[in-house]
């Protein structure tokens, strides 16, 4: 009789080939370590504002506990359409151009699965959010990394994109403000990219999850550029802007063919987003502006503290224009990103994420989330300063990167 395969060997080889998320690995290590200060995980340290939670309680009291339509509550889709029009000047029909999803995570998976056939290539500017490449691989596609550097403001140029396009290229993923760098891309740069995208007849997924967390004003969405609405699937959600990570609620907006295709997968896999989260999201859009504004104000103060302190330590630190991450360069310590993060965790009890988990171009950096209390941030920064001093810096850099929005 043939020897039976081990259970693990029976797992789909494509799934076997995908490593678990590097962020989670550090998060788990951090939770195992006592008295650790975590700058590791990307979620606001605020609870969801009270009026949003209250709207959810009230909906439960009224007995709203059923499925909604696959696409989500029409009232929520209408509110999203209004918001997208107000913010970006782009009109979406709530009937067939908007789909409510379980967070941007689900929207991303649906969009990639709806568009990508085996062998299709997807250009992903790096450093990038950890889910993009695995979702592409799971759909049978091939992620093509585009390296960006701190010197270029962690934003791709149109030229870099053009050079990576082949006959198999189908899609480009853009995500600004960016996780992990906090980079914001300028309108001019996006327009140059849009020209290349249109010439090559590509599609774009625009992950807008941090679009409300910007500190210098400028943010343009690809869908708002001439000729780009039809080519872009816009993804957004409530996790970051309204401190609603646990609610699992987001949406996709795009042309009816793409949204319809995504809805097909959604209706067989998710059925619909939770009704309680949809009701809460509606309240967030209607009345959440002030609480979001207050949160952004606090993030901005912490952002300045982080950037200034890293620079004082002698670590070059790009000034993030959005999101809630600082991405200091640690090459001067002579440690790799992994070594830096591991030693910092064991020796100083501060958890940060090694930059290489966001792609090879993130090597030499660490991601520090400033979605932590000011007290924790100050203590963590003191500990990091002591750590950097102990290991020493090989060459003190005089370069201070002022670029906030790269043109
Ligand atoms: N996109 C980016 C760039 C993120 O950083 C995250 C979470 O960290 C997500 C998507 C996932 O968002 P959601 O909670 O809406 O699934």
């Amino acid at each position: 009789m043939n020897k039976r395969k081990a259970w693990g060997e029976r797992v789909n080889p494509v799934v076997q080939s995908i490593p678990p998320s590097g962020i989670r690995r550090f998060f788990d290590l951090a939770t195992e370590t006592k008295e650790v200060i975590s700058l590791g995980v990307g979620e606001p340290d605020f609870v969801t504002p009270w009026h949003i939670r209250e709207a959810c309680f009230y909906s439960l009291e009224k007995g709203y506990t059923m499925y909604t339509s696959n696409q989500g509550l029409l009232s929520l889709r209408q509110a999203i359409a209004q918001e997208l029009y107000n913010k970006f000047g782009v009109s979406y029909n709530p009937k067939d151009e908007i789909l409510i999803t379980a967070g941007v995570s689900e929207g991303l998976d649906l969009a990639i699965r709806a568009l990508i056939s085996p062998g299709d290539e997807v250009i992903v500017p790096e450093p990038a959010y950890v889910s993009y490449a695995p979702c592409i691989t799971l759909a049978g596609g091939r992620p093509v990394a585009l390296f960006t550097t701190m010197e270029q403001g962690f934003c791709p140029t149109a030229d870099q994109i053009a050079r990576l396009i082949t006959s198999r290229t189908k899609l480009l993923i853009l995500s600004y403000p960016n996780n992990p760098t906090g980079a914001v891309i300028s309108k001019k740069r996006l327009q140059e990219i849009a020209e290349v995208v249109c010439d090559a007849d590509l599609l774009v997924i625009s992950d807008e999850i941090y679009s409300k967390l910007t500190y210098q004003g400028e943010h343009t969405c690809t869908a708002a550029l001439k000729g780009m609405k039809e080519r872009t699937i816009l993804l957004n959600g409530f996790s970051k802007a309204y401190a609603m990570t646990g609610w699992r609620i987001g949406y996709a907006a795009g042309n009816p063919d793409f949204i319809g295709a995504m809805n097909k997968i959604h209706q067989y896999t998710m059925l619909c987003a939770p009704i309680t989260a949809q009701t809460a999201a509606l309240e967030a859009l209607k009345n959440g502006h002030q609480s979001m504004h207050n949160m952004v104000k606090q993030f901005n103060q912490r952002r300045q503290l982080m950037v200034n302190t890293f620079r004082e330590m002698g670590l070059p630190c790009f000034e993030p224009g959005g999101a809630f991450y600082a991405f200091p360069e640690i090459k001067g310590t002579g440690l790799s990103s992994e070594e830096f993060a591991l030693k910092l965790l064991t020796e100083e009890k501060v958890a940060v994420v090694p930059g290489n988990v966001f792609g090879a171009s993130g090597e030499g950096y660490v991601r520090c989330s400033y979605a932590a209390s000011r007290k924790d941030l100050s203590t963590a920064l003191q500990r990091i300063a002591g750590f950097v001093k102990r290991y020493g810096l090989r060459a003190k850099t005089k370069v201070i990167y002022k670029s906030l929005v790269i043109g």
Side-chain angles (χ1 to χ4, degrees):
M1 202 174 95
N2 285 344
K3 194 169 162 279
R4 284 194 177 170
K5 275 188 178 174
W7 300 122
E9 285 172 34
R10 302 179 199 205
V11 172
N12 172 345
V14 180
V15 179
Q16 281 188 51
S17 74
I18 291 175
S21 159
I23 300 184
R24 280 287 137 187
R25 190 160 64 84
F26 264 83
F27 180 68
D28 292 343
L29 267 177
T31 38
E32 284 162 18
T33 315
K34 274 191 188 147
E35 289 164 22
V36 79
I37 298 179
S38 179
L39 311 185
V41 174
E43 63 180 329
D45 56 314
F46 303 98
V47 227
T48 308
W50 173 250
H51 65 100
I52 298 176
R53 286 182 276 155
E54 205 177 29
C56 169
F57 301 150
Y58 190 49
S59 78
L60 288 172
E61 234 172 41
K62 284 199 290 191
Y64 291 157
T65 56
M66 283 81 170
Y67 293 133
T68 67
S69 87
N70 295 138
Q71 279 177 272
L73 294 170
L74 182 61
S75 52
L76 177 58
R77 284 182 275 140
Q78 282 165 338
I80 289 166
Q82 189 61 53
E83 151 121 341
L84 291 173
Y85 184 73
N86 295 346
K87 197 165 161 52
F88 300 128
V90 191
S91 297
Y92 289 96
N93 186 340
K95 291 215 167 73
D96 56 6
E97 293 189 316
I98 293 176
L99 173 67
I100 309 299
T101 58
V104 169
S105 303
E106 196 215 353
L108 177 72
D109 181 45
L110 295 177
I112 290 174
R113 281 203 278 161
L115 298 179
I116 293 302
S117 308
D120 283 348
E121 292 175 5
V122 183
I123 299 176
V124 184
E126 284 186 1
Y129 176 52
V130 292
S131 293
Y132 300 146
C135 283
I136 296 163
T137 307
L138 284 170
R142 199 170 82 77
V144 177
L146 184 161
F147 280 38
T148 67
T149 62
M150 178 158 65
E151 290 73 10
Q152 66 180 102
F154 291 118
C155 289
T157 63
D159 228 34
Q160 281 181 302
I161 291 168
R163 268 184 264 130
L164 291 179
I165 294 173
T166 70
S167 58
R168 296 306 314 253
T169 310
K170 180 101 181 247
L171 187 61
L172 166 70
I173 297 188
L174 294 174
S175 178
Y176 301 95
N178 177 268
N179 173 8
T181 64
V184 172
I185 197 162
S186 71
K187 185 171 183 182
K188 181 170 166 281
R189 179 66 61 85
L190 265 187
Q191 274 165 336
E192 290 160 4
I193 292 172
E195 268 180 40
V196 170
V197 164
C198 289
D199 282 353
D201 200 17
L202 304 184
L203 306 173
V204 172
I205 289 179
S206 184
D207 180 345
E208 296 284 324
I209 188 125
Y210 296 104
S211 60
K212 287 184 176 169
L213 305 185
T214 56
Y215 310 108
Q216 274 115 21
E218 186 176 356
H219 171 71
T220 310
C221 172
T222 318
L225 300 178
K226 195 166 159 267
M228 289 303 291
K229 182 198 159 191
E230 301 303 319
R231 296 185 178 277
T232 304
I233 296 181
L234 185 163
L235 303 177
N236 205 346
F238 298 81
S239 288
K240 315 288 174 167
Y242 300 99
M244 290 177 69
T245 47
W247 296 77
R248 312 310 305 129
I249 186 81
Y251 62 88
N255 84 51
D257 288 327
F258 298 158
I259 294 298
M262 289 166 67
N263 192 30
K264 264 197 219 167
I265 309 174
H266 174 77
Q267 70 193 6
Y268 291 125
T269 53
M270 181 62 68
L271 213 156
C272 68
I275 188 170
T276 42
Q278 293 192 54
T279 322
L282 184 57
E283 170 64 19
L285 282 184
K286 278 189 181 160
N287 299 312
H289 191 73
Q290 192 53 47
S291 38
M292 182 194 69
H293 196 69
N294 294 344
M295 193 172 72
V296 170
K297 217 164 130 191
Q298 292 197 46
F299 282 148
N300 192 17
Q301 287 164 2
R302 299 174 192 179
R303 172 182 81 108
Q304 285 155 4
L305 171 78
M306 298 291 278
V307 172
N308 292 341
T309 316
F310 281 127
R311 288 177 179 175
E312 277 161 22
M313 289 176 210
L315 299 180
C317 187
F318 173 74
E319 183 154 354
F324 39 61
Y325 308 106
F327 202 56
E329 186 195 290
I330 50 88
K331 292 173 189 164
T333 60
L335 300 171
S336 70
S337 297
E338 290 264 344
E339 285 166 344
F340 186 99
L342 262 178
K343 284 179 189 289
L344 186 68
L345 182 61
T346 47
E347 294 173 24
E348 299 289 345
K349 299 195 190 315
V350 176
V352 298
V353 181
N356 61 311
V357 310
F358 305 99
S361 56
E363 179 52 50
Y365 297 84
V366 290
R367 189 192 78 173
C368 305
S369 162
Y370 47 87
S373 73
R374 219 176 147 97
K375 184 167 161 279
D376 275 358
L377 284 181
S378 301
T379 314
L381 285 168
Q382 270 170 21
R383 293 183 190 177
I384 297 174
F387 178 84
V388 169
K389 208 166 169 192
R390 213 166 48 249
Y391 281 87
L393 285 175
R394 286 196 181 149
K396 279 229 160 83
T397 173
K398 292 200 177 69
V399 190
I400 301 288
Y401 294 98
K402 272 249 158 88
S403 38
L404 311 176
V405 176
I406 298 290

